[in-house]
Amino acid sequence: MSPIRRVVVIGCGLIGTSVACALRRAGVRVELADHDPWALAQAARMGAGTALRAGDGPADVVVIATPPSSVAAVLREAQARGLGTVYTDVASAKTRVLAEAERIGCDLTGYVPGHPMAGREISGPGAARAGLFEGRTWALCPHPALSPRALRTVSALASACGAEVTLLAPDAHDRAAAAVSHVPLVLSAALAARFAAQSPDGDPGEMGALPLAAGALRDVTRVAGSPTGMWRDILAHNAGPVADLLEAMTRDLGRVAAALRAADDGPVAEVLARGNEGHARIVRALSRTREPERAAS
């Protein structure tokens, strides 16, 4: 396989600009596109690449770093313009995006759905880092129409960014992303919402408790600071798996609440014990990779 020499990145947010910076560090020529001239200019000033020019011919890979709701349309337009020979995206939900791409007539043979499992709770090109993906998992989701060459090419791109490639079916990816990323965000937001000035029902929440707050509250609610619009889009595109897991956790929480009111220590101890076991598994899993610095994927 020929080395990756030129890449087009569409979308100069946190992930797109980080991909561009990582590829530039690896010696790849990168061209950038974004509907926001400010974001494009800032990414270029950071050394992420140069603005895309017409007439340069197809790039080896086009990376679509836009919200899930726009990936399919951007893919179709990029293919119509002949921007690349292979295409991938970085959206954190895959099944619905792939179905939409098929529905609107995209060429799926060269489209590799992807998701680098890295991020931060702050957004924009200014938050980008060339090392964001080092030691992190980059999920690629093969589908029946995909060509092996396209998969090899995007695998090489992820490796050039310092990531470790994992292959998952799109639906398996979405269930996994719900468990390790999307549901933690919702739970973090739900807890942080208790400390908002006022809840929708007029309850003042837990504002009076804030003078007692310490590191535990900060750690659990950190990702609640992530951009609302971005996460509304992500959750809408992975609604089923997220809802399934939230319902299962709601059952656990309901059992604990009922047990506390009944002074029944059994269910409380059982959930805490399973929490210890799960935490140990999480720590072991994270120890195999570089634990993300203030990450929200």
Side-chain angles (χ1 to χ4, degrees), residues 115 117 173-185 245 282 297:
H115 178 205
M117 300 299 297
H173 165 274
D174 287 356
R175 291 193 300 272
V180 303
S181 177
H182 303 168
V183 167
L185 182 284
L245 188 49
I282 292 168
S297 46

Side-chain angles (χ1 to χ4, degrees), residues 250-265:
T250 298
R251 290 192 292 272
D252 273 349
L253 293 173
R255 288 176 56 234
V256 170
L260 289 170
R261 294 192 183 281
D264 179 3
D265 183 59

Side-chain angles (χ1 to χ4, degrees), residues 135-224:
R136 304 303 309 280
T137 299
W138 193 309
L140 299 180
C141 301
H143 51 83
L146 181 63
S147 78
R149 176 185 172 277
L151 181 59
R152 290 194 300 269
T153 299
V154 177
S155 295
L157 180 143
S159 296
C161 291
E164 300 177 4
V165 174
T166 292
L167 303 183
L168 289 170
D171 57 343
H173 165 274
D174 287 356
R175 291 193 300 272
V180 303
S181 177
H182 303 168
V183 167
L185 182 284
V186 174
L187 295 177
S188 177
L191 178 57
R194 297 300 308 163
F195 296 87
Q198 185 169 303
S199 65
D201 59 6
D203 187 334
E206 313 302 334
M207 289 286 289
L210 282 176
L212 303 179
L217 181 66
R218 180 195 61 233
D219 292 344
V220 173
T221 60
R222 175 179 56 78
V223 294

Side-chain angles (χ1 to χ4, degrees), residues 64-93:
I64 300 171
T66 67
S69 58
S70 61
V71 167
V74 172
L75 173 62
R76 182 177 62 179
E77 180 185 2
Q79 289 181 335
R81 294 172 60 188
L83 291 185
T85 57
V86 173
Y87 298 80
T88 188
D89 73 296
V90 297
S92 65

Side-chain angles (χ1 to χ4, degrees), residues 14 118-121 181 185 222-223 226 230-231 292 294-297:
L14 165 66
R120 305 178 71 191
E121 72 273 22
S181 177
L185 182 284
R222 175 179 56 78
V223 294
S226 301
M230 177 187 78
W231 275 100
R294 300 181 65 78
S297 46

